């Protein structure tokens, strides 16, 4: 969501168009009815970008009447550069007066854009997109509570029903659970891939690690039993049963539901995006951030943590880890050998300064702009002013 908004602002600015405050998708698995203003501070968003472009909360009445008759709606081509928008999209905007993008995910290239556009993406993400005062206040309370106990780790445990169904990753699930996840995948028409071999995907490193696997990885990396771990996630598939091994290894395992009262959380219940915003704030503030899967939120948090001083983010090499886990659990590696191999594999995967990997013609395979927005970092490793 954050990345899509940043890209749409950048495109509107480049084309010198007025932007209407974005609508949020309400048709996803999470069925969250939240609007932009329920998550982000709208007035701050508009005001902080007033020197870049005009943003309005709704279309002028004349255009509202026009679009009721016919609204020109389209998805821009994924991973497009600024030339595509100037040559293809700007003429359409001039012709129709209003153009509605019905998709905003990954519609702007990672690389090859003018540096001022890359800097604007950062300005939107790190300065203009501020959560609502209610979310900010509760997020700060969560962070303060955790920091009173000393250092803490955030584990972004992406082991929720939608991820497992979409990815087809069922390692560790029962046959009934596998059937349920498969049924769900076939029920969502916009999930294109239907026939999936779970074990093949797992061996390729394309599955989120299971709670049991992540427990072994954390121990191998040297996190001791007294480590305070905050789980950032929605409802874990399989519930408490799937968290048993993790809780046994790390008794100081907490979630927002444990740290906040029911009354404090009630306004956010059934609003998964607002709950995710709280997790985003805690993830940014943590001493160590560990995502079990490199999904959109994990990658945007990674980039935000780089921007705030290259805070420690352990980027798990899932393909290597699956290989090591299978060797250890099959008895081919001792615990000491397993632990040493896990540590060695992640020496250079701690969120250190690094060049973004560019693969021409393969945007999905190269590094994501928002995971490492290097154009926005100072040359001395500090921060660059993007305001």
């Amino acid at each position: 969501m954050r990345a899509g908004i940043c890209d749409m602002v950048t495109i509107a600015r480049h084309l010198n168009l007025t932007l209407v405050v974005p609508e949020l998708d309400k048709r996803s698995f999470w069925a969250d009815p939240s609007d932009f203003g329920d998550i982000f501070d709208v007035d701050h968003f508009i005001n902080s970008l007033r020197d870049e472009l005009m943003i309005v909360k709704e279309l002028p009445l004349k255009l509202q009447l026009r679009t009721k008759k016919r609204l020109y709606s389209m998805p821009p081509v994924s991973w497009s550069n600024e030339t595509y928008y100037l040559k293809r999209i700007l003429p359409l905007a001039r012709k129709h007066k209003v153009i509605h993008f019905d998709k905003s995910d990954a519609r702007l290239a990672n690389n090859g854009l003018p540096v001022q556009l890359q800097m604007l993406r950062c300005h939107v993400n790190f300065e203009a997109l501020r959560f609502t005062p209610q979310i900010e206040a509760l997020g700060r309370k969560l962070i303060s509570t955790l920091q009173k106990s000393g250092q803490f780790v955030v584990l972004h445990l992406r082991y929720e029903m939608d991820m497992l169904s979409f990815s087809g990753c069922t390692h560790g699930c029962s046959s009934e659970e596998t059937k349920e996840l498969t049924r769900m995948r076939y029920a969502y028409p916009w999930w294109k891939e239907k026939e999936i071999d779970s074990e093949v995907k797992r061996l390729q490193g394309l599955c989120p690690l299971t709670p049991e696997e992540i427990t072994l990885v954390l121990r191998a990396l040297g996190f001791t039993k007294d480590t305070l771990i905050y789980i950032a996630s929605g409802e874990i598939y399989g519930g408490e049963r799937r968290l048993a091994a993790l809780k046994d290894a790390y008794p100081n395992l907490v979630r927002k539901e444990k740290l906040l009262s029911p009354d404090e959380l009630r306004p956010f219940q059934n609003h998964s995006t607002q709950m995710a915003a709280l997790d985003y704030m805690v993830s940014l503030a943590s001493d160590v951030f560990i995502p079990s899967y490199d999904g959109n939120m994990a990658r945007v948090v990674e980039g935000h943590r780089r921007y705030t001083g290259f805070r420690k983010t352990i980027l798990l090499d899932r393909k290597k880890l699956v290989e090591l886990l299978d060797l250890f659990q099959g008895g081919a590696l001792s615990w000491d050998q397993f632990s040493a191999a896990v540590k060695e594999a992640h020496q250079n995967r701690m969120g250190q300064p690094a060049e973004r990997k560019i693969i021409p013609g393969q945007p999905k395979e190269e590094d994501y702009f928002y995971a490492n927005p290097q154009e926005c970092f100072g040359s001395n490793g500090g921060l660059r002013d993007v305001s």
Side-chain angles (χ1 to χ4, degrees), residues 99-117:
I99 189 165
H100 174 248
F101 289 160
D102 54 18
K103 288 185 179 174
S104 64
D105 57 315
R107 302 293 143 169
L108 198 54
N110 290 313
N111 302 293
L113 299 179
V115 71
Q116 66 267 26
L117 294 185

Side-chain angles (χ1 to χ4, degrees), residues 1-6 24-25 32 34 36 39-40 104 129 273 296 300:
M1 186 182 290
R2 291 181 75 99
I5 293 165
C6 294
L24 305 183
D25 178 18
D32 185 347
S34 298
F36 186 98
I39 300 161
F40 300 108
S104 64
L129 283 178
T273 313
N296 292 326
V300 175

Side-chain angles (χ1 to χ4, degrees), residues 30-214:
W30 298 105
D32 185 347
S34 298
D35 290 317
F36 186 98
D38 297 318
I39 300 161
F40 300 108
D41 184 328
V42 180
D43 290 332
H44 175 77
F45 176 69
I46 293 171
N47 291 334
S48 63
L49 291 165
R50 65 181 179 274
D51 293 336
E52 299 290 345
L53 77 165
M54 179 174 286
I55 301 175
V56 295
K57 293 181 180 178
E58 59 182 13
L59 283 171
L61 184 59
K62 183 179 175 182
L63 289 176
Q64 284 186 36
L65 294 171
R66 178 176 177 147
T67 55
K68 275 185 180 176
K69 293 177 184 173
R70 188 181 177 199
L71 174 61
Y72 186 79
S73 188
M74 63 167 288
V77 174
S78 299
W79 310 110
S80 294
N81 62 21
E82 80 281 10
T83 306
Y84 163 81
Y85 286 97
L86 277 172
K87 292 190 173 177
R88 298 289 183 86
I89 301 300
L90 186 57
L92 290 172
R94 285 175 174 156
K95 178 182 177 182
H96 298 283
K97 306 302 180 191
V98 178
I99 189 165
H100 174 248
F101 289 160
D102 54 18
K103 288 185 179 174
S104 64
D105 57 315
R107 302 293 143 169
L108 198 54
N110 290 313
N111 302 293
L113 299 179
V115 71
Q116 66 267 26
L117 294 185
Q118 300 288 53
M119 299 276 278
L120 179 56
R121 292 167 102 177
C122 290
H123 178 57
V124 182
N125 195 15
F126 305 137
E127 307 296 338
L129 283 178
R130 180 190 292 170
F131 294 125
T132 63
Q134 296 88 339
I135 291 173
E136 290 274 341
L138 202 55
R140 283 194 295 270
K141 180 174 182 179
L142 270 172
I143 292 163
S144 174
T145 302
L146 288 160
Q147 288 176 336
K148 283 174 186 171
S149 301
Q151 294 199 329
F152 71 97
V153 173
V154 165
L155 175 61
H156 187 231
L157 191 57
R158 196 69 172 92
Y159 203 77
E160 298 131 323
M161 188 177 188
D162 70 312
M163 170 52 70
L164 299 181
S165 177
F166 168 75
S167 64
C169 296
T170 56
H171 184 76
C173 294
S174 68
S175 58
E176 279 305 309
E177 288 172 331
T178 300
K179 288 176 187 174
E180 179 182 44
L181 294 168
T182 303
R183 280 196 302 271
M184 179 182 168
R185 184 164 65 255
Y186 276 87
Y188 278 78
W190 50 88
W191 291 353
K192 303 299 182 191
E193 198 177 3
K194 302 298 183 185
E195 287 293 322
I196 299 173
D197 188 321
S198 174
E199 282 309 304
V200 169
K201 272 193 104 166
R202 177 177 174 269
L203 292 172
Q204 292 172 336
L206 300 176
C207 287
L209 295 178
T210 69
E212 295 83 2
E213 288 173 333
I214 204 79

Side-chain angles (χ1 to χ4, degrees), residues 246-280:
L246 188 56
K247 280 186 173 177
D248 186 54
Y250 295 99
N252 294 330
L253 198 67
V254 296
R255 304 181 67 169
K256 53 188 170 293
E257 292 83 358
K258 184 175 179 180
L259 297 175
L260 299 171
S261 71
D263 284 346
E264 288 173 312
L265 272 179
R266 191 166 291 115
F268 302 92
Q269 296 290 359
N270 302 317
H271 295 86
S272 59
T273 313
Q274 295 178 49
M275 295 286 255
L278 294 172
D279 282 344
Y280 188 97

Side-chain angles (χ1 to χ4, degrees), residues 329-363:
Q329 291 177 315
L333 289 179
S334 68
W335 174 258
D336 287 345
Q337 289 171 322
F338 172 68
S339 179
V342 170
K343 286 173 181 168
E344 184 182 354
H346 293 86
Q347 278 180 344
N348 298 315
R349 299 178 67 92
M350 299 285 179
Q352 302 100 322
E355 287 289 314
R356 200 166 57 240
K357 183 175 68 178
I358 300 172
I359 308 176
Q362 294 181 274

